[in-house]
Amino acid sequence: MPEVIKVIRRATCPGVELVRITDSPRVWGHLNTVFSFGTMTSWQGRALYRRQNLPLGPGHTFTFEPGELFRGAPDDAGFGSFRVIELTTDVLSELCREEDRRAPMHFTDAIRFTPAPLATALDALERALVADSDSLEQQACLVELAHAASSTVLERGSPRSSKRPAPLGPCERLRELLHSSEATSVSLAAFARESAVSQFQLLRAFKRRFGSPPHAYGLHVRVERGRQLLRQGHTVAEAAAAGDFTDQSHFTRHFRRIWGVTPGHYASTR
C-alpha cells in the first residue's frame, strides 16, 4: 500500500494546519515549533519523547509543545494511519487567554487516551478544514478545540519566579546556539572546552536531554525554519537559503526524509 500524506491549510483559518498520514511505514521524527495534536487511527508503535519510551496506538492522542523533538517508530506490523492538527503559539495563546489561562501553557501529558471532548473538537475541526467550510464554521471549531484542550490537556502556566533563573547548563546553551544564526559555525571541540566537559560527555548528555545528537538536532532546526517560511508563502529557494542549505536539492532531500513530501508539494497545499 502506498503511503499518502496530505497537508491542508486554509486562508480562512490562519495559524492552523492539518496533516493526514495514511498507510505510513516510516519512522517519524521532527522538531516542533507549534502546538501539535496527533490522533492515532491505526498507527501503532512507540514514541521517544521527553526522555521516555512511550507506547502509542489507536485511540491515543499525542500532544507536543514548541521546541521539543520527538521520534515515533512503528511496530513490526508496519503500515498505519494518523492525523495531526497544528496550532501556532500565537493562535493558541490568544484563544486560551479568553479561557483565562496564562502563558506559558503546557500539556499535562505527552500521550493519553483521547478525552471525549477533545476527540469531538478535533474531529469537527478536521471535517471543517477538509470540506473547506465557511470561515465562521472553521473559526467556531477552532474555539471549541481550544476550550476542549484547556479543560482536558492544558495546564495553567506558573507565575514567573522573582528569583534569578539558574544559569543554563552546557546542553541548554548548545541547544540555544543551534537555534541561533551562528549554528553553522559551531565547533563541538571548542564548545566542549569552553564548557569544561569532554566532547563525549557533551554528546551523550545532549542526546539524553533532547533525544538526538547535536548535528541531527541542528538539522531539524534548519528544516523546520524552512518549513515555517513555506507556510508563510516563501519560495523553496528562499526556505533553503534561510535554513543554510547549500542548494534546493540538499534542502529537498532532508525535508522529504522528515516530512514525507517535497518542499514544493508542501508549499503548494492549501
Side-chain angles (χ1 to χ4, degrees):
M1 293 178 288
E3 179 185 52
V4 178
I5 300 171
K6 185 173 180 59
V7 182
I8 297 175
R9 293 187 297 274
R10 303 299 185 194
T12 48
C13 200
V16 179
E17 181 172 285
L18 167 66
V19 184
R20 303 172 88 186
I21 297 96
T22 305
D23 296 330
S24 176
R26 74 174 61 240
V27 173
W28 285 88
H30 73 277
L31 178 71
N32 243 31
T33 57
V34 293
F35 284 88
S36 298
F37 300 82
T39 305
M40 302 296 103
T41 307
S42 59
W43 194 95
Q44 187 159 335
R46 302 194 71 84
L48 300 178
Y49 182 66
R50 293 181 181 174
R51 291 180 278 184
Q52 299 180 75
N53 189 337
L54 304 168
L56 183 61
H60 281 123
T61 288
F62 63 77
T63 47
F64 298 150
E65 298 179 11
E68 296 186 317
L69 186 70
F70 86 99
R71 177 183 174 90
D75 288 343
D76 294 337
F79 300 91
S81 303
F82 61 99
R83 61 107 191 270
V84 182
I85 292 178
E86 296 186 344
L87 276 62
T88 64
T89 301
D90 288 346
V91 167
L92 189 59
S93 295
E94 180 61 30
L95 290 168
C96 285
R97 270 195 289 271
E98 297 178 6
E99 294 285 330
D100 192 30
R101 287 182 175 267
R102 295 166 290 171
M105 297 165 296
H106 299 286
F107 287 122
T108 52
D109 294 295
I111 295 173
R112 63 185 60 76
F113 280 105
T114 313
L118 183 63
T120 299
L122 287 168
D123 290 345
L125 180 56
E126 179 183 26
R127 287 194 299 270
L129 292 172
V130 170
D132 198 11
S133 302
D134 65 71
S135 173
L136 194 59
E137 180 178 351
Q138 292 179 29
Q139 292 169 32
C141 289
L142 184 57
V143 170
E144 292 288 350
L145 173 57
H147 176 76
S150 294
S151 60
T152 58
V153 298
L154 278 171
E155 63 182 1
R156 188 182 294 272
S158 301
R160 291 184 178 180
S161 172
S162 59
K163 297 181 180 179
R164 178 179 297 179
L168 297 178
C171 292
E172 287 72 22
R173 287 191 287 108
L174 179 55
R175 177 178 178 271
E176 285 197 347
L177 188 58
L178 292 173
H179 279 271
S180 75
S181 59
E182 302 175 10
T184 54
S185 61
V186 173
S187 165
L188 187 66
F191 189 90
R193 282 196 303 271
E194 293 171 5
S195 302
V197 296
S198 72
Q199 294 183 65
F200 178 76
Q201 288 173 322
L202 181 60
L203 285 172
R204 184 172 59 181
F206 190 96
K207 185 174 182 179
R208 185 168 58 246
R209 175 69 178 84
F210 297 113
S212 179
H215 68 276
Y217 186 95
L219 178 62
H220 278 277
V221 170
R222 293 161 57 203
V223 169
E224 185 62 16
R225 187 180 300 147
R227 185 174 80 100
Q228 293 308 313
L229 288 181
L230 293 175
R231 289 181 65 165
Q232 297 165 21
H234 290 265
T235 66
V236 175
E238 290 169 334
D244 291 315
F245 290 95
T246 54
D247 52 39
Q248 290 187 49
S249 63
H250 188 208
F251 175 53
T252 296
R253 182 168 69 253
H254 290 295
F255 190 99
R256 186 167 191 169
R257 179 176 59 82
I258 293 173
W259 283 99
V261 296
T262 66
H265 177 83
Y266 180 88
S268 67
T269 58
R270 293 291 183 268

